[in-house]
Amino acid sequence: MTLPAGFAHVLLALGMPVLMVGLVNRTKAMWAGRKGPPLMQLGWDLLRLMRKRPVLSVVATPLFRTGAWVVLAASMLAAMIAPNLGRFAPLEFNHDFVFFAYTLALARIFLMLSAMDVGSAFEAMGAAREASFTAFVEPALFLLVGTAGVVTGHASFAGLIGHLHQAESFRWLAPPLIVVLFILLQAEASRVPVDDPSTHLELTMIHEVMILDHSGPELAAMQYAAALKMTIYAGLVAALLNPFDPLAAPLACVLFSACAMAGVAVVVGCTESLVARLRMRLVPRYLMLASALAALCLAGAGWLTRP
């Protein structure tokens, strides 16, 4: 790992979540005819929450407070494995995409455990929905990785995603794979149409209902972790398209990734402004669409690369 590329990756992965949320909110405000909050509003909100004293339920155990920091730590670890700069990631080894997937799964487990620890029926309902809906995420992710593996022959996450654009079949593989990553972003980051982060009706919430009892620094950790997950998948979309080598041309690579991730945030904001949230019974079908598209890509890649 070279120091400039590693520093650029860490700075991009940990700094973009605040800007990503700001771009989403500003885009939604423009569609509504409003000025909207400042682009860095999430950063000020996180600082404000860090200075507050948390209010805890009388039935909460130490697991409740610990869970928020495990969710944040697991999300940050996943961000170090995700190749936001294309062919490079600070933590890179063979089959690291398996570790990446189950690091995010660990974050989901502790998110659900924290929600159930306070004994709230509403939060337990959100945890059940989270477990049900995100079960459709991992098959789509591994089918996507399998497609990249068939085409590129690499075994690491950075090699799979970063070299995919060099393949002859990239032109027809890229659009459906970008759609798959965008659906996974909506599921992991709890965005419309899978979930609505701005809703206040407990009966329709998934992620937000699970953090109702969090406050102060723990709430800040949960909010930043959710923004970080959106940034991770936006970074994967950018890495899929990034033609620059992060070791040979780090500045061009970083600028392209940042602009592409900002573009994904604008698309998320437009989607949330123009598309209504799906009914609960339709969410699994929507998430299965990602698996179906990834499976078709895997079958097509296997057919084209047959001897």
Side-chain angles (χ1 to χ4, degrees):
M1 181 185 74
T2 64
L3 184 60
F7 179 76
H9 180 103
V10 173
L11 186 64
L12 191 68
L14 302 184
M16 280 298 290
V18 175
L19 181 60
M20 290 276 294
V21 173
L23 286 170
V24 171
N25 293 335
R26 181 62 69 87
T27 303
K28 293 168 66 176
M30 291 178 62
W31 277 103
R34 298 181 287 107
K35 181 180 179 180
L39 289 177
M40 306 304 290
Q41 183 61 49
L42 177 63
W44 296 111
D45 291 340
L46 295 177
L47 290 176
R48 173 175 52 85
L49 289 171
M50 290 298 293
R51 293 195 297 264
K52 289 191 173 184
R53 186 178 64 183
V55 179
L56 302 177
S57 170
V58 295
V59 299
T61 68
L63 174 63
F64 176 75
R65 299 193 68 178
T66 304
W69 301 109
V70 173
V71 171
L72 178 59
S75 301
M76 294 176 69
L77 179 59
M80 296 301 103
I81 302 173
N84 292 345
L85 296 181
R87 308 173 194 176
F88 169 83
L91 298 178
E92 181 181 352
F93 49 90
N94 287 341
H95 311 297
D96 52 0
F97 52 85
V98 178
F99 188 76
F100 168 82
Y102 288 105
T103 299
L104 290 178
L106 177 66
R108 287 195 295 271
I109 290 173
F110 273 87
L111 174 62
M112 292 184 290
L113 289 176
S114 298
M116 293 186 292
D117 188 62
V118 296
S120 168
F122 272 131
E123 295 195 35
M125 176 187 64
R129 290 172 176 173
E130 177 80 5
S132 300
F133 294 156
T134 55
F136 297 94
V137 171
E138 288 177 6
L141 177 63
F142 282 116
L143 287 169
L144 182 148
V145 169
T147 302
V150 169
V151 173
T152 65
H154 287 267
S156 67
F157 207 3
L160 292 167
I161 301 297
H163 290 84
L164 188 59
H165 69 276
Q166 297 177 345
E168 297 180 358
S169 54
F170 176 75
R171 292 184 178 181
W172 68 267
L173 276 178
L177 292 183
I178 289 174
V179 173
V180 171
L181 287 172
F182 191 73
I183 295 176
L184 295 182
L185 180 152
Q186 293 171 327
E188 285 279 10
S190 304
R191 311 300 306 194
V192 176
V194 177
D195 193 11
D196 188 355
S198 61
T199 185
H200 298 287
L201 181 60
E202 290 89 345
L203 291 174
T204 62
M205 290 193 290
I206 302 176
H207 178 268
E208 295 302 312
V209 75
M210 289 191 290
I211 61 174
L212 281 177
D213 278 275
H214 287 84
S215 58
E218 284 75 30
L219 180 58
M222 288 294 195
Q223 290 183 350
Y224 183 75
L228 189 57
K229 291 177 184 178
M230 179 170 64
T231 304
I232 288 172
Y233 280 95
L236 291 178
V237 174
L240 193 66
L241 302 174
N242 199 337
F244 299 102
D245 189 341
L247 302 180
L251 181 60
C253 182
V254 171
L255 289 176
F256 182 93
S257 293
C259 293
M261 292 164 72
V264 173
V266 172
V267 174
V268 171
C270 292
T271 303
E272 297 191 356
S273 300
L274 301 175
V275 177
R277 177 191 170 141
L278 292 173
R279 296 179 180 178
M280 286 293 177
R281 62 183 178 85
L282 297 179
V283 172
R285 301 180 188 179
Y286 180 68
L287 298 179
M288 287 176 65
L289 174 63
S291 296
L293 283 174
L296 287 175
C297 290
L298 178 60
W303 182 77
L304 289 177
T305 56
R306 70 189 191 282

